[in-house]
């Protein structure tokens, strides 16, 4: 199986795609306008201790304080929490709306085979490494590094790692932990102590095995170089090839997956047989409705419905994974004719989602109303929440394009102009809201610097609040 990782970098958004034999499987978005703090470690300061909540509110330099539960406080700080005290915190879960972020002080620093634990001495080994001999070998290798300020978790893929790979990674992580302990003693609240790993590296750790063959495609030379250095350090056995492209190259268009990306933003997705699925988001779950639409049922209705439902489930699973949906997901299938068809499609769905998404998703048998139930653990913010906002607090539908997404669309058009013309300046006519946000940001200056082109921004009453038009001349 040929695996390719596409890193399509821009100043507004970076899109990362994992392809298997040319088909888009996983899709990730990194927002550079509204940077995420997920997994960042910052210096925090206790603002309020609330015993009824069994936790404390921590000011870590952002607009809203985060909640740190007592159970997420290591022994080094246990029973010492008091007003004004400084304590490092890691963003465990970013929340939207009125809720603050969920925090932990059990800081972890991940590698590929290991996770370093600055406050948890000892060695923990993945339960999936069952060989007692291998477990003993790993403990022997890591024991010289362990002290009261450093412990390790050995991840599952440590089972196949060589002793040299484990030793080199432990050395690297031990140095990072040392730097962390030295830094946290001398900085004020809000200071970033440790940044999260780049998103492309998280993708590699999650989906790439150390002995595979893979091709990385990137349109940023610096990012490609950093990736290559990480691979050489952590995955020396990986058979990796690197293809670099100019900054103005749209790699999703080049690899023919731009249509797949745009499809993840639509409510309705068409199937090959003329049927379709309609995806709606509610507060508590995602609902996917299967429709026969233009599909021809014919005389063998039972067989046709079975194939329609299989197609719909297959596309639904691709959409669930690509959109990073999580929680409870209900697929409302077309009613089966027989119980045998219902059971066989369910068994097929279980195997298919396991091959695509591993253990993150779980499929439950269809109900008598032919509702197929899926649960999926949350790891990343869904694509629709990354790129869109709500019109108001009373709706669950995300339909208002974000500043980041609009800037991304402007950048994509500029890429096309730079790639196909000799134009050195363009005129961007924006709706009022987008214009106001754009001129307050650093994006126009970055676009001019990266693409060597002059941007002329104008507010245009003819445009909708969040729309724009690009022209080669002044109106």
């Amino acid at each position: 199986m040929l695996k390719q990782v596409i890193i399509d970098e821009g100043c507004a958004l970076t899109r990362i795609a994992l392809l298997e034999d040319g088909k888009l499987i996983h899709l990730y978005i990194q927002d550079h306008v509204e940077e995420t703090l997920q997994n960042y470690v910052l210096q925090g300061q206790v603002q309020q201790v609330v015993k009824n909540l069994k936790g404390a509110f921590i000011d870590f330099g952002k607009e809203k304080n985060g909640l740190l539960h007592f159970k997420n406080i290591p022994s080094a700080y246990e029973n010492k929490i008091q007003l004004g005290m400084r304590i490092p915190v890691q963003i465990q879960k970013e929340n939207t709306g009125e809720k603050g972020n969920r925090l932990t002080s059990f800081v972890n620093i991940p590698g590929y085979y290991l996770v370093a634990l600055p406050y948890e001495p000892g060695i923990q080994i993945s339960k999936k490494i069952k060989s007692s001999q291998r477990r003993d070998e790993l403990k022997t290798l890591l024991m010289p590094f362990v002290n009261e300020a450093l412990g390790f978790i050995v991840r599952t893929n440590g089972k196949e790692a060589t002793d040299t790979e484990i030793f080199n990674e432990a050395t690297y992580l031990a140095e990072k932990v040392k730097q962390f302990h030295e830094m946290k003693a001398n900085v004020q609240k809000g200071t970033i102590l440790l940044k999260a790993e780049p998103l492309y590296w998280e993708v590699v750790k999650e989906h790439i095995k150390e002995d595979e063959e893979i091709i990385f495609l990137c349109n940023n030379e610096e990012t490609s170089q950093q990736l290559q250095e990480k691979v050489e350090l952590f995955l020396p056995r990986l058979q990796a090839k690197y293809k670099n492209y100019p900054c103005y190259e749209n790699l999703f268009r080049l690899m023919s997956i731009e249509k797949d990306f745009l499809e993840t933003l639509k409510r309705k997705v068409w199937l090959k047989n003329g049927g379709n699925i309609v995806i709606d988001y509610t507060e508590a779950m995602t609902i996917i409705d299967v429709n026969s639409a233009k599909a021809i049922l014919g005389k063998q209705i039972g067989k046709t419905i079975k194939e329609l439902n299989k197609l719909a489930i297959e596309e639904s699973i691709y959409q669930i994974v690509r959109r990073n949906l999580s929680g409870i997901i209900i697929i409302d299938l077309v009613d089966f004719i027989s119980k045998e068809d219902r059971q066989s499609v369910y068994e097929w769905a279980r195997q298919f989602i396991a091959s695509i998404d591993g253990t993150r998703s779980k499929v439950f048998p269809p109900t008598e109303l032919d509702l197929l139930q899926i649960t999926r653990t949350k790891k990343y913010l869904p694509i629709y929440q990354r790129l869109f906002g709500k019109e108001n607090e009373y709706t669950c539908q995300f339909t208002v394009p974000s500043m980041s997404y609009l800037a991304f669309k402007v950048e994509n058009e500029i890429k096309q102009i730079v790639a196909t013309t000799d134009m050195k300046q363009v005129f961007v006519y924006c709706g009022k809201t987008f214009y106001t946000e754009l001129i307050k940001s650093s994006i126009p200056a970055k676009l001019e610097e990266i693409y060597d082109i002059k941007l002329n921004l104008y507010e245009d009453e003819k445009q909708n609040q969040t729309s724009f038009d690009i022209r080669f001349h002044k109106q």
Side-chain angles (χ1 to χ4, degrees), residues 255-272:
M255 299 301 296
S256 302
I257 58 172
E258 186 75 0
K259 177 178 176 289
D260 294 321
F261 165 72
L262 294 174
E263 215 162 48
T264 65
L265 309 180
K266 296 178 180 178
R267 180 170 178 257
K268 181 183 290 185
V269 178
W270 288 94
L271 307 175
K272 289 182 289 186

Side-chain angles (χ1 to χ4, degrees), residues 101-291:
N101 294 325
R102 188 187 302 167
L103 309 175
T104 180
S105 279
F106 284 111
V107 173
N108 66 77
I109 306 174
Y112 184 83
Y113 301 110
L114 308 171
V115 179
L117 307 173
Y119 293 111
E120 299 172 78
I123 300 171
Q124 305 171 46
I125 298 177
S126 168
K127 292 180 181 178
K128 293 183 180 179
I129 301 178
K130 298 187 182 299
S131 166
S132 57
Q133 179 182 344
R134 183 56 180 156
R135 294 174 73 89
D136 289 341
E137 290 171 351
L138 289 166
K139 287 179 181 178
T140 302
L141 271 171
L142 293 173
M143 193 56 70
F145 295 94
V146 175
N147 54 51
E148 61 181 12
L150 173 60
F152 289 99
I153 295 174
V154 182
R155 304 174 66 182
T156 302
N157 50 16
K159 177 182 178 182
E160 304 299 332
T162 65
D163 289 356
T164 301
E165 288 167 343
I166 294 290
F167 180 84
N168 289 344
E169 187 166 309
T171 303
Y172 172 83
L173 292 174
E175 181 59 30
K176 289 201 75 170
V177 170
K178 179 183 176 184
Q179 293 171 4
F180 162 74
H181 281 303
E182 290 173 350
M183 185 179 179
K184 70 180 176 61
N186 303 304
V187 297
Q188 299 300 314
K189 69 177 182 183
T191 303
I192 295 175
L193 300 172
L194 290 169
K195 286 188 175 183
E197 293 281 9
L199 183 57
Y200 62 76
W201 187 241
E202 293 292 338
V203 173
V204 170
K205 288 193 297 183
E206 187 168 350
H207 300 295
I208 307 301
K209 296 180 180 178
E210 60 268 33
D211 54 356
E212 288 184 315
E213 293 185 20
I214 188 159
I215 300 173
F216 294 103
L217 297 87
C218 185
N219 60 358
N220 183 296
E221 190 173 341
E222 184 179 348
T223 297
S224 182
Q225 181 61 36
Q226 291 171 354
L227 171 61
Q228 192 166 346
E229 289 171 0
K230 280 186 172 292
V231 168
E232 289 172 355
L233 176 64
F234 293 110
L235 297 170
R237 287 183 288 142
L238 187 67
Q239 300 176 57
K241 295 180 181 178
Y242 304 87
K243 292 186 178 180
N244 296 331
Y245 295 85
C247 62
Y248 54 76
E249 188 70 75
N250 181 335
L251 297 185
F252 275 48
R253 185 178 293 122
L254 180 70
M255 299 301 296
S256 302
I257 58 172
E258 186 75 0
K259 177 178 176 289
D260 294 321
F261 165 72
L262 294 174
E263 215 162 48
T264 65
L265 309 180
K266 296 178 180 178
R267 180 170 178 257
K268 181 183 290 185
V269 178
W270 288 94
L271 307 175
K272 289 182 289 186
N273 68 343
N276 64 50
I277 59 173
V278 177
I279 304 173
D280 285 311
Y281 311 113
T282 73
E283 197 68 36
M285 65 182 71
T286 301
I287 309 295
I288 302 177
D289 186 30
V290 179
N291 301 298

Side-chain angles (χ1 to χ4, degrees), residues 285-346:
M285 65 182 71
T286 301
I287 309 295
I288 302 177
D289 186 30
V290 179
N291 301 298
S292 57
K294 299 177 183 178
I296 299 173
L297 297 181
K299 294 182 180 180
Q300 295 181 304
I301 295 179
K303 181 179 178 181
T304 308
I305 288 176
K306 179 181 176 181
E307 290 305 313
L308 169 64
N309 281 334
K310 283 186 71 173
L311 267 178
I313 292 170
E314 180 181 2
E315 185 59 43
S316 295
I317 290 171
Y318 278 126
Q319 293 299 322
I320 289 166
V321 173
R322 291 170 185 170
R323 297 180 187 215
N324 288 318
L325 304 182
S326 59
I328 301 171
I329 302 161
I330 305 293
I331 304 177
D332 186 2
L333 301 169
V334 176
D335 292 346
F336 286 103
I337 299 299
S338 70
K339 292 182 179 179
E340 291 75 17
D341 286 350
R342 179 186 295 142
Q343 184 62 27
S344 69
V345 168
Y346 161 62

